[in-house]
Amino acid sequence: VTVTHSNYPPAISFGTSRYVKLLGNGDPAHKYGFYVGGTGGGASGVSVDGKSSDVELAYIEVTKTGFAGIMVKDDNAPQEQPGFVMENIIIHHNFVHDTEGEGLYLGQTQLATIAHEIRNVLIHNNIFVRTGWEGFQVSNLVGNVEVRNNVVYDCGRANIRWQNNAVQIMGNTFGNFHHNIIAKAKGNLLNGIGTGINFHHNYLEDAGELAIWANDDWNGKTYFGPQAKDPNNMTKVYANYIRKVN
């Protein structure tokens, strides 16, 4: 299935939807059964928004998008439905490349006091390459979060300050990030502003700036929720392999 257009809306969009599986593995002759071949300026390839929850995205190729390859968040939820929590998001075995924005944009990059939270997240075995902004950026992921076995390569190509990293973990994020290959970025390979992050057993290579930048106390914790003030929720960075840092 091929979806390509030159307009603003996302090529594939789920708004206020639940219990959705978009899986492109129905035909063994095609590794990626869904192909998003382009969107207009500012539009993402696949979007999960509204008060959506319980969504699985897999075996999808996304390229030439005007913004993010895959975007999962709802900017209006906190105002329209205070207390809304998006849950059970699984993203795996996708190939996202040559995007104007992020490969994956998951969660609102807003203050924890006004953004909705996302719980029960699994991101694994994806490939994010040649992205204009970060390979993937996550924020406000607060419980049962695992990001593993992904390849993130050649990111931040537009070299826009604060958006030129390979992986960006924003505030109010807690989880395990492990066994990922992260290589080649204009900025940092890991920009870690979250708290309660376990970042371990990753391979990092070819940083334009720093291999890892991590800070539990960014902006006086105004970016974080109440869990950030718990001394047990400290970021832990260990057992990573790092080479070729400029």
Side-chain angles (χ1 to χ4, degrees):
V1 178
T2 297
V3 184
T4 302
H5 68 71
S6 58
N7 301 315
Y8 172 73
I12 300 174
S13 180
F14 299 99
T16 312
S17 304
R18 298 195 72 179
Y19 311 115
V20 174
K21 291 179 180 283
L22 184 66
L23 310 178
N25 61 343
D27 183 350
H30 299 279
K31 184 173 183 179
Y32 304 105
F34 289 95
Y35 175 74
V36 176
T39 66
S44 298
V46 180
S47 178
V48 177
D49 52 51
K51 267 60 73 182
S52 294
S53 199
D54 301 271
V55 175
E56 181 177 359
L57 306 174
Y59 300 99
I60 307 165
E61 181 177 353
V62 183
T63 188
K64 298 179 182 176
T65 56
F67 190 49
I70 299 173
M71 184 164 67
V72 181
K73 67 188 182 96
D74 182 12
D75 289 332
N76 299 316
Q79 295 77 36
E80 296 175 355
Q81 185 177 331
F84 167 74
V85 176
M86 186 180 287
E87 296 182 296
N88 306 320
I89 302 299
I90 305 173
I91 300 172
H92 63 97
H93 292 96
N94 300 293
F95 178 31
V96 181
H97 59 100
D98 301 287
T99 61
E100 291 291 329
E102 295 90 343
L104 170 64
Y105 187 164
L106 176 58
Q108 288 180 281
T109 51
Q110 299 288 337
L111 298 178
T113 54
I114 62 174
H116 72 81
E117 297 180 338
I118 304 179
R119 297 177 182 171
N120 305 324
V121 176
L122 176 59
I123 304 169
H124 69 92
N125 293 97
N126 299 285
I127 301 172
F128 303 107
V129 300
R130 295 188 302 275
T131 59
W133 292 11
E134 289 86 7
F136 69 79
Q137 175 175 277
V138 299
S139 184
N140 287 294
L141 312 185
V142 299
N144 191 25
V145 176
E146 184 175 14
V147 180
R148 59 172 169 82
N149 301 106
N150 300 285
V151 174
V152 184
Y153 176 76
D154 196 9
C155 303
R157 290 160 61 95
N159 205 22
I160 297 173
R161 189 63 176 165
W162 313 121
Q163 303 282 181
N164 61 352
N165 308 298
V167 173
Q168 187 145 279
I169 304 172
M170 301 295 285
N172 201 32
T173 296
F174 306 81
N176 286 294
F177 295 74
H178 63 94
H179 293 93
N180 301 287
I181 297 173
I182 304 169
K184 193 176 182 182
K186 293 289 186 180
N188 303 329
L189 293 174
L190 168 65
N191 213 46
I193 311 174
T195 188
I197 299 164
N198 289 307
F199 189 83
H200 60 95
H201 293 93
N202 299 284
Y203 177 89
L204 300 98
E205 177 180 320
D206 197 6
E209 296 180 22
L210 301 176
I212 298 174
W213 185 86
N215 189 345
D216 275 348
D217 195 35
W218 184 73
N219 200 22
K221 296 194 187 302
T222 58
Y223 212 83
F224 306 140
Q227 296 178 77
K229 300 183 185 299
D230 184 340
N232 295 315
N233 287 328
M234 295 182 64
T235 290
K236 302 177 181 68
V237 180
Y238 60 94
N240 299 287
Y241 184 88
I242 301 171
R243 70 183 298 271
K244 196 177 179 184
V245 178
N246 293 330

